[in-house]
């Protein structure tokens, strides 16, 4: 297979709340590590940091105040999740936002339909969902996008880059359907998760990914991928399917 300088089929775009550029670059590196495990597809799925995106008409002036225009900025999506949290009495005590609401709005994103993409959305707010009512580190719509919070990776003043990157890779793995398929080493725990003892696609119900991060870094030093061969295989099958759809789309034009 030809490997270099082929046309991009689908971009992997990283968006973030204001003031989070540093975290976007940690996320990019994490995803690069995963995509490096798929050399035949790497150039067709380029990774790009978009940052705190807003369109030209991201806000309107009405009755003496500015309002964010629906779907026209990252801040608007976060505002929706925050509004929901206020409604549900979560914002005041815990400063958490409702990730289900954010995913719901992102599913209706008109740009998502126009520009083929996998999206990573970073927020500094803590997340809760109807499934994980206490808190969650991230949530993914497979085949689409992930919303990930940096909030739980702060240990006093130090940011735990390695554990954050494990979670980014895990959520990105859900985007690529790593834990799909008829597999004996996948079990249901808030979505399908891998049971292979070193794989990043394992679930930790207490949110502590440190043991997985340790194994991941150990493997990385030795040139091994962060996921197991079965998760890898599912990744190839997803990327291949996306390429097929693209090819067939061209034929039909
Ligand atoms: Zn998961
Ligand atoms: Zn696995």
């Amino acid at each position: 297979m030809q490997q270099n300088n082929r046309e991009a089929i689908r971009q992997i775009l990283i968006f973030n709340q204001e003031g989070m550029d540093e975290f976007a670059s940690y996320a990019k590196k994490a995803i690069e590590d995963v995509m490096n495990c798929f050399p035949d597809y790497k150039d067709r799925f380029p990774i790009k940091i978009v940052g705190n995106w807003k369109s030209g008409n991201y806000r309107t002036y009405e009755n003496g105040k500015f309002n964010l225009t629906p779907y026209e900025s990252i801040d608007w999506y976060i505002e929706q999740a925050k509004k929901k949290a206020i409604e549900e009495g979560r914002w005041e005590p815990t400063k958490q936002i409702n990730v289900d609401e954010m995913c719901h709005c992102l599913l209706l994103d008109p740009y998502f339909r126009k520009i083929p993409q996998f999206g990573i959305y970073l927020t500094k707010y803590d997340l809760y969902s109807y499934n994980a009512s206490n808190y969650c580190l991230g949530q993914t719509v497979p085949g689409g996008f992930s919303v990930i919070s940096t909030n739980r990776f702060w240990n006093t003043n130090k940011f735990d880059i390695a554990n954050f990157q494990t979670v980014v890779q895990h959520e990105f793995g859900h985007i690529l359907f790593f834990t799909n398929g008829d597999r004996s080493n996948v079990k249901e725990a808030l979505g399908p998760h891998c049971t292979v003892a070193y794989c990043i696609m394992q679930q930790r119900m207490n949110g502590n990914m440190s043991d997985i991060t340790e194994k991941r870094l150990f493997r990385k030093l030795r040139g091994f991928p962060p996921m197991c061969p079965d998760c890898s295989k599912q990744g190839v099958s997803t990327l291949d399917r996306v390429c097929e759809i693209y090819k067939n789309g061209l034929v039909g034009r």
Side-chain angles (χ1 to χ4, degrees):
M1 192 184 269
Q2 189 195 335
Q3 285 191 18
N4 291 312
N5 299 319
R6 292 177 306 175
E7 195 187 340
I9 286 181
R10 189 173 295 202
Q11 289 180 294
I12 301 162
L13 302 180
I14 303 168
F15 303 90
N16 56 265
Q17 203 175 344
E18 195 128 44
M20 294 186 72
D21 294 355
E22 189 187 344
F23 305 97
S25 62
Y26 299 150
K28 184 167 186 263
K29 282 206 188 76
I31 295 168
E32 270 165 8
D33 277 356
V34 174
M35 288 309 291
N36 283 340
C37 305
F38 303 113
D40 289 344
Y41 299 93
K42 225 168 83 170
D43 59 326
R44 308 227 107 185
F45 297 84
I47 311 160
K48 199 176 129 190
I49 296 176
V50 184
N52 185 239
W53 174 83
K54 19 174 94 78
S55 81
N57 62 331
Y58 79 100
R59 62 179 188 176
T60 51
Y61 191 72
E62 229 179 354
N63 304 326
K65 68 176 193 116
F66 284 108
N67 289 310
L68 292 173
T69 319
Y71 308 108
E72 297 297 322
S73 66
I74 298 310
D75 293 347
W76 178 79
Y77 288 104
I78 290 170
E79 188 182 56
Q80 299 317 296
K82 184 175 160 183
K83 273 186 181 161
K84 194 73 178 174
I86 293 170
E87 223 177 276
E88 296 178 329
R90 291 295 285 258
W91 174 253
E92 268 316 313
T94 59
K95 297 285 175 282
Q96 289 181 302
I97 61 172
N98 185 316
V99 70
D100 293 314
E101 182 65 16
M102 183 145 168
C103 288
H104 172 75
C105 294
L106 282 165
L107 276 169
L108 303 172
D109 176 8
Y111 292 96
F112 196 78
R113 272 165 232 183
K114 275 186 248 167
I115 307 160
Q117 59 184 267
F118 291 133
I120 305 285
Y121 295 83
L122 304 178
T123 174
K124 47 191 159 192
Y125 293 138
D126 205 29
L127 306 171
Y128 74 96
S129 77
Y130 298 122
N131 276 333
S133 64
N134 189 14
Y135 73 91
C136 68
L137 302 173
Q139 185 161 298
T140 296
V141 172
F145 53 84
S146 306
V147 177
I148 302 167
S149 166
T150 52
N151 182 68
R152 300 266 163 175
F153 300 98
W154 286 99
N155 289 322
T156 47
N157 285 324
K158 203 171 155 21
F159 188 75
D160 189 342
I161 302 171
N163 263 320
F164 170 66
Q165 288 179 318
T166 301
V167 169
V168 169
Q169 293 184 341
H170 177 108
E171 296 305 328
F172 182 64
H174 282 310
I175 290 184
L176 296 186
F177 296 95
F178 277 7
T179 48
N180 269 53
D182 188 17
R183 289 172 49 182
S184 57
N185 55 7
V186 161
K187 69 161 197 248
E188 193 64 28
L190 293 180
H193 286 97
C194 189
T195 58
V196 175
Y198 60 82
C199 183
I200 48 160
M201 296 314 290
Q202 292 171 90
Q203 172 72 294
R204 289 289 177 267
M205 294 305 275
N206 63 3
N208 188 350
M209 305 287 277
S210 322
D211 66 311
I212 301 172
T213 298
E214 224 170 274
K215 293 193 181 89
R216 172 175 78 78
L217 295 177
F218 181 87
R219 286 172 56 83
K220 187 181 168 170
L221 275 175
R222 284 151 190 82
F224 292 117
M227 62 282 189
C228 73
D230 287 332
C231 285
S232 237
K233 221 169 99 188
Q234 291 299 322
V236 167
S237 136
T238 302
L239 294 168
D240 201 49
R241 218 174 329 134
V242 174
C243 293
E244 272 307 302
I245 292 166
Y246 173 84
K247 208 172 76 190
N248 293 335
L250 278 187
V251 170
R253 248 175 250 168

